[in-house]
Amino acid sequence: MAIHRLDDDPEHSPCVRCPTCDGFPCMLHAKGDAEVCGIRPALEYSNVRLLTKHRVQRLISSADGKRVETVETDQGRFSARLVVLAAGAVNSAALLLASASEQFPTGLANHSDQVGRHYMCHLNSACMALKPGRENRTIFQKTLALNDFYEGSGDPEYPYPLGHIQSLGKVTPGLF
């Protein structure tokens, strides 16, 4: 989980091993997530600002098509020397496709017509065993996993077996 835990100096450790670590944002900023490792350090520079409540609608490339120079939002246009697209698998692809232009008729960075076509959604199910009256006091529970390759995929074009079983760790009512 990339926690910042100082076991040799727990009094000065950002991580206090609270029971909400797995599956929730860290209120102490002790988990190595995007906010702690990316956004907060970037905001320390005077030439970086974070705009909230803007919805990016499209990216506009330079005249030569080699870089993005303008970001169009529902509240205006913004230019930057460097633009980073980090909107997740679905929204990054959707934004590139929405950024079609005369120069890029099938969408930005989509010359191959493959943007968004090979997205893999992880469909998950959960099965739990409960023992009423017994509280699981474990905070950092071990995770076990095994691949189960006995059943086929059910798809004639992909006749290979599939399957993965993984424990959920400690599941709390709020997380579940």
Side-chain angles (χ1 to χ4, degrees):
M1 291 190 301
I3 57 173
H4 187 184
R5 173 76 183 161
L6 304 174
D7 285 327
D8 294 339
D9 189 9
E11 290 182 19
H12 297 100
S13 179
C15 174
V16 296
R17 293 194 182 206
C18 65
T20 62
C21 192
D22 191 18
F24 294 96
C26 179
M27 302 309 287
L28 302 174
H29 307 293
K31 193 188 297 188
D33 58 15
E35 178 190 5
V36 171
C37 295
I39 295 170
R40 284 177 174 263
L43 290 173
E44 292 178 12
Y45 291 89
S46 61
N47 63 341
V48 174
R49 69 181 169 149
L50 177 64
L51 301 174
T52 60
K53 299 181 180 165
H54 287 254
R55 183 180 194 105
V56 177
Q57 295 176 321
R58 59 189 297 247
L59 305 172
I60 302 168
S61 69
S62 58
D64 63 6
K66 292 187 178 184
R67 63 185 181 86
V68 171
E69 62 181 21
T70 304
V71 176
E72 185 177 299
T73 76
D74 58 353
Q75 297 184 42
R77 289 183 171 197
F78 301 90
S79 297
R81 185 177 55 80
L82 177 66
V83 174
V84 176
L85 175 57
V90 173
N91 288 316
S92 291
L95 188 54
L96 290 170
L97 294 173
S99 300
S101 64
E102 191 174 306
Q103 191 175 15
F104 300 103
T106 60
L108 197 57
N110 194 27
H111 179 72
S112 64
D113 198 33
Q114 294 300 303
V115 169
R117 291 195 185 269
H118 301 286
Y119 171 71
M120 183 175 77
C121 181
H122 295 275
L123 301 174
N124 295 309
S125 298
C127 178
M128 297 178 59
L130 302 174
K131 186 172 182 181
R134 181 172 180 253
E135 181 183 355
N136 181 353
R137 296 178 187 201
T138 304
I139 293 176
F140 293 101
Q141 187 166 313
K142 301 292 184 200
T143 297
L144 303 173
L146 63 105
N147 291 313
D148 175 15
F149 294 126
Y150 294 108
E151 296 292 328
S153 69
D155 182 350
E157 293 186 28
Y158 191 85
Y160 306 103
L162 300 173
H164 181 77
I165 301 171
Q166 179 177 331
S167 62
L168 294 172
K170 182 171 181 172
V171 179
T172 61
L175 181 61
F176 196 66

